[in-house]
Amino acid sequence: MSMMEVPNLGTVYSGEELGRSLEGSSGKAFSRRARLSFYNRTFKIVCIASAVFVCLILFSILLLMGRTGILTFETVSLKTFFFSTEWVPENEQYGAFIFIFGTIALTLLTMVISVPLSLIIAIFLSEMTPAWLKNALRPVLDLLVGIPSVVYGFLGMTVLIPMLRSVTGTTLGDGILAAAIVLTIMVLPTISRITDDSIVAVPKKFRDASYALGSTRFQTVVRVVIPAAKSGIMYAVILGMARALGETMAVVMVIGNTPQLADALFKPTSVLTSNIVMQIPNVPFDSAWNYALYMMGFILLVISLIMIVVVRAIQGRGVKS
Amino acid sequence: MKTKWFRNLGLAVMALSLTFGSVSAVSASSKLSGRIVINGSSALLPLTLQASNEFKKLNPKVKISASAAGSVTGPQSVRKGIADIGACDWDASTSVPGFAAFSGQVANKVAVIPFAAVTNGSVGVSSLSTSDLQGIFSGKITNWKDVGGKDAKIVVVNRAFGSGTRVNFQLKALNGTDFMTKGDNYKEVKSSGDMKTAIETTPGAIGYIDLVYVSGSKMKAVSINNVAPTEANVINGTYKVWSYGYYMTKGQPTGAVKAFIDYVQSSKFQNGSLKKLKFIPLAAMKK
C-alpha cells in the first residue's frame, strides 16, 4: 500500500516538480512508475528477506543444537546428565552437573565481586568526577570493553595466577577464583558504563529535592539516585552476567579444566564453555560424547536467551517509568 | 550426522581459500590431476602444508586442501568420506586407549615424532624411571623428594582426553597406565602451546610435549630410564617415547592421493623439508 504512494506522487506532480527526470526516462510516465514500483517492491522484499534470514539463523541454531543435544538422552538418562558428577568420556560416563554447577558458581562469584565494584566506579564517574576527568575516563572504559578475551586469559595465566600463587601459597592457583577475577576485569567496564549512563539519566530534580530536604551527598546517592536508576542497573548486571556466562577463551586458560566439583576457590575445575572448547576437537562424531557436548551448548544458549528476555522486560519497564 | 555438514562447510571454505591461493603454480610437466582433502592432527599440519605446497608446484593440476582439528577427526573424516587423507598421531587402524580401531583404513607412515616428559626448570630432577612416571601421572607420587628432587609438591599437567600426544605418551612412556583425573594439583590444557606455558610458569609442574617444543631454561626435558630425549637416541633405538605420524586412507591409496603420500615418503622430502620442520625421517628408523 505504502508502495503505491511514490508513483502516485509522480503523477500528481508530473511536469513542473519532477521536470525532465520524468520525460527524460525512455518514454511514458507509466514505464517510470512501473520501474519505481518494481524497485520499491524489490527493496521491500530484500528488507523482509534479511529480517527473515536473521530469524532463520537463530531458529536453525536452536533447532540444530537442541536436536543434536537431545540425542544424548538415548544413551544417558536425564538424571545422570543433570545430576551426576562423573564426567569420564573414556568410560562412557556423561554427568554434566560439575559443569552446570561450575558455570553458575563462577557467574555468581564474578557478580559478587564485580557488581559492587562497578557500582562504585559508576557512582564516582557520574556523581563525583569533574567534567574533564569524566570525558577522559569514559572512553577508557569503552576501550576496555573492546579488548579481546584471549588477551585477558593470557594475562590471567601468566600474571594473575603466579600472583595468586605467591599471595595465597597454593601450588597450582588455577580454579574458580582466578577465573572469577579475570571475568570481573572483563565485565567491569560493561557494567559500570551502563550503570553510569542510567545514573546520569536520573533527573536532576530528584537530587535537588533530596538536597533541599537536607540529605548529604551519600544519602542522596544511596537513597535517591540508585533506587531511581534501579532498572538500568539491573540491565547492566544482566548484560555483564550474560558476558561472564558465555565467556570461553579467558576462562579456559585459568580454570584448570579438570572435571571435578568446584567446592574450593583454588581447585582446578571446568565450566560448560571451557569443557566444550577443550573437548570438541577430539570428539568422535555420532557419539554420545559429542551429543552431550551439544546438549551443554544448548543449555548455555537457553540460559542466555532467558537472560535476554529478562533484559527486554526490564527495558520495557524502564521506558514506562 | 548433524556435525557433518558443518565440517563440510569448513572444508569447503578451506578448499576455496587454498584453491585461490594456488592458482599460480609453477609450470610442470605432470599429467596428474585430482583433488585431495586432508584433515586431522594439528601436530602433522605443518608437514602436510609444506608437502602440499611442494607437491602442487610439481603437479599443478592437483588441488590439495588441508585443515586440522584433533587427531581423531582425521580417520573419522576418512570414514565419512569427507577427506581422502586423515592425519593421525597414532595408527588408527588399531585400537588405542579410548578409541576403537577404524576398520578398512590403511595407515601410511609419514614421519617420526618424538615426545618428551618435561618439568618446570625449578624441579631439579634430571631422570625419571618408567615406574616413577607411572606413579606421578597416576597421582600416587605427589612430592618431588620421592623421586630424588627437592621437597615440593608435584603439579601434573595433562592434555585433554582425545589428544594424540596423550595417547602416545600413555602408550609409550607409561606403558598404558591410566592417568589421574582429579585432584588439587592436577590440570588439563588443550594444546601443546598451552602445555609449554603451563609447565614454564608453574613451579613443580610436570607434563609432556612434542620434542620440537622443548627450548629454553624454564622448561626441562627429563631423561626417561636415564636415556636423554634426543633425536640421536630415538634413531639408535634407546629412547622409546616416540611414535609415527600417519596418513590414514580408506583402503590402499590410489591416483593423486597415492602420488602425494609417495612424495611425502620420498627421500627428497624426508631429508629436506621434513627434517627442517624437526620431524625425524622414516628411513632413519630402519635399523
Side-chain angles (χ1 to χ4, degrees):
Chain A
M1 287 211 307
S2 58
M3 308 271 79
M4 292 312 292
E5 277 165 26
V6 177
N8 281 346
L9 276 178
T11 45
V12 170
Y13 297 116
S14 66
E16 280 94 336
E17 241 89 341
L18 292 168
R20 270 182 230 123
S21 76
L22 203 63
E23 275 124 80
S25 62
S26 61
K28 294 167 196 165
F30 177 73
S31 72
R32 183 172 186 274
R33 192 186 302 170
R35 206 172 65 229
L36 273 179
S37 100
F38 170 73
Y39 285 157
N40 278 338
R41 208 168 296 152
T42 316
F43 185 63
K44 188 181 182 183
I45 289 168
V46 168
C47 289
I48 293 174
S50 309
V52 168
F53 181 63
V54 171
C55 298
L56 258 179
I57 288 179
L58 177 67
F59 282 112
S60 43
I61 289 176
L62 271 174
L63 196 73
L64 176 79
M65 297 298 292
R67 266 181 52 187
T68 316
I70 289 291
L71 293 175
T72 316
F73 302 117
E74 283 178 357
T75 43
V76 184
S77 75
L78 265 172
K79 195 169 147 250
T80 316
F81 185 80
F82 285 103
F83 297 108
S84 160
T85 56
E86 292 300 318
W87 177 270
V88 192
E90 299 94 306
N91 305 335
E92 303 273 312
Q93 286 173 291
Y94 305 102
F97 180 75
I98 292 163
F99 311 118
I100 298 169
F101 175 81
T103 295
I104 294 170
L106 174 60
T107 311
L108 288 182
L109 189 61
T110 307
M111 289 298 117
V112 166
I113 309 174
S114 64
V115 170
L117 269 176
S118 332
L119 209 58
I120 293 167
I121 293 174
I123 292 168
F124 173 72
L125 263 180
S126 54
E127 297 285 310
M128 306 179 179
T129 324
W132 65 269
L133 192 56
K134 246 180 240 182
N135 293 338
L137 280 177
R138 284 191 177 137
V140 168
L141 283 178
D142 292 341
L143 283 175
L144 274 175
V145 178
I147 294 179
S149 57
V150 69
V151 174
Y152 286 112
F154 190 70
L155 292 177
M157 190 176 179
T158 53
V159 178
L160 176 72
I161 285 190
M163 219 155 76
L164 282 175
R165 239 180 248 142
S166 61
V167 170
T168 63
T170 50
T171 30
L172 197 52
D174 293 50
I176 199 166
L177 182 66
I181 293 175
V182 169
L183 285 181
T184 297
I185 297 168
M186 283 187 64
V187 300
L188 211 59
T190 311
I191 304 181
S192 49
R193 273 297 274 129
I194 299 173
T195 306
D196 171 27
D197 285 344
S198 66
I199 291 178
V200 167
V202 173
K204 189 165 175 294
K205 59 186 178 192
F206 285 24
R207 293 183 185 84
D208 291 344
S210 171
Y211 286 130
L213 289 171
S215 39
T216 61
R217 179 144 82 171
F218 178 75
Q219 286 169 326
T220 307
V221 168
V222 173
R223 302 259 175 90
V224 178
V225 176
I226 290 181
K230 203 174 63 197
S231 72
I233 295 172
M234 278 299 291
Y235 177 57
V237 168
I238 289 174
L239 272 189
M241 225 157 127
R243 184 153 191 222
L245 192 88
E247 181 46 47
T248 310
M249 280 322 291
V251 171
V252 80
M253 294 171 100
V254 296
I255 200 152
N257 307 306
T258 309
Q260 55 188 346
L261 205 63
D263 51 8
L265 289 178
F266 286 110
K267 194 172 185 181
T269 178
S270 207
V271 294
L272 289 169
T273 50
S274 68
N275 192 58
I276 293 174
V277 79
M278 282 285 289
Q279 305 201 326
I280 205 78
N282 299 318
V283 73
F285 317 156
D286 296 344
S287 63
W289 183 12
N290 186 25
Y291 300 147
L293 291 181
Y294 268 82
M295 192 65 215
M296 285 161 59
F298 185 67
I299 293 170
L300 269 176
L301 201 62
V302 169
I303 298 175
S304 53
L305 285 182
I306 291 172
M307 284 189 162
I308 290 167
V309 171
V310 174
V311 164
R312 287 271 148 198
I314 289 172
Q315 255 182 333
R317 224 172 47 195
V319 168
K320 261 178 246 159
S321 66
Chain B
M1 267 260 289
K2 287 280 117 47
T3 52
K4 187 177 162 184
W5 67 271
F6 258 164
R7 285 173 205 253
N8 267 331
L9 194 71
L11 280 174
V13 172
M14 275 304 264
L16 210 63
S17 57
L18 273 170
T19 317
F20 282 121
S22 62
V23 174
S24 62
V26 178
S27 63
S29 54
S30 170
K31 283 183 204 110
L32 207 60
S33 69
R35 177 180 180 75
I36 308 173
V37 178
I38 306 169
N39 197 356
S41 159
S42 51
L44 287 168
L45 186 68
L47 184 150
T48 305
L49 287 177
Q50 180 61 34
S52 64
N53 280 339
E54 293 175 19
F55 188 74
K56 279 188 288 197
K57 275 180 195 153
L58 298 170
N59 304 281
K61 282 184 190 149
V62 179
K63 302 263 180 280
I64 303 178
S65 34
S67 62
S71 261
V72 75
T73 49
Q76 284 189 94
S77 310
V78 171
R79 186 168 63 188
K80 293 261 167 187
I82 302 167
D84 305 300
I85 294 176
C88 189
D89 294 355
W90 67 84
D91 181 352
S93 62
T94 62
S95 65
V96 295
F99 294 99
F102 288 82
S103 58
Q105 294 197 12
V106 175
N108 305 276
K109 292 174 186 171
V110 289
V112 173
I113 313 168
F115 304 101
V118 286
T119 66
N120 182 271
S122 69
V123 163
V125 168
S126 57
S127 180
L128 291 167
S129 68
T130 302
S131 66
D132 288 343
L133 285 173
Q134 287 173 336
I136 289 170
F137 280 99
S138 63
K140 290 189 192 86
I141 300 174
T142 56
N143 197 306
W144 284 111
K145 68 173 190 245
D146 298 334
V147 290
K150 58 184 185 184
D151 184 6
K153 282 221 176 93
I154 296 178
V155 173
V156 174
V157 186
N158 201 353
R159 293 285 302 276
F161 174 68
S163 145
T165 312
R166 174 170 164 154
V167 167
N168 281 313
F169 192 77
Q170 190 174 4
L171 280 177
K172 306 281 168 57
L174 306 180
N175 293 332
T177 315
D178 281 337
F179 285 106
M180 64 199 288
T181 54
K182 290 182 161 88
D184 287 349
N185 292 326
Y186 171 82
K187 70 180 262 183
E188 291 181 9
V189 292
K190 70 176 187 319
S191 67
S192 298
D194 286 353
M195 174 67 88
K196 189 172 160 71
T197 318
I199 297 292
E200 285 176 348
T201 59
T202 314
I206 184 168
Y208 50 87
I209 202 165
D210 297 18
L211 191 58
V212 297
Y213 282 91
V214 178
S215 61
S217 61
K218 285 189 272 177
M219 179 200 256
K220 185 175 163 45
V222 293
S223 301
I224 296 177
N225 300 321
N226 290 314
V227 182
T230 60
E231 202 173 306
N233 285 341
V234 173
I235 292 169
N236 71 26
T238 48
Y239 187 77
K240 306 286 185 199
V241 189
W242 55 271
S243 81
Y244 287 111
Y246 295 90
Y247 278 175
M248 304 302 299
T249 51
K250 200 176 243 171
Q252 288 297 336
T254 54
V257 175
K258 183 177 190 315
F260 178 69
I261 294 176
D262 286 346
Y263 180 77
V264 174
Q265 291 171 336
S266 70
S267 62
K268 173 176 172 276
F269 183 77
Q270 293 270 323
N271 293 319
S273 305
L274 184 131
K275 248 186 171 169
K276 267 186 220 140
L277 293 166
K278 295 199 184 170
F279 291 95
I280 300 175
L282 293 170
M285 300 309 298
K286 280 164 193 152
K287 283 163 243 164

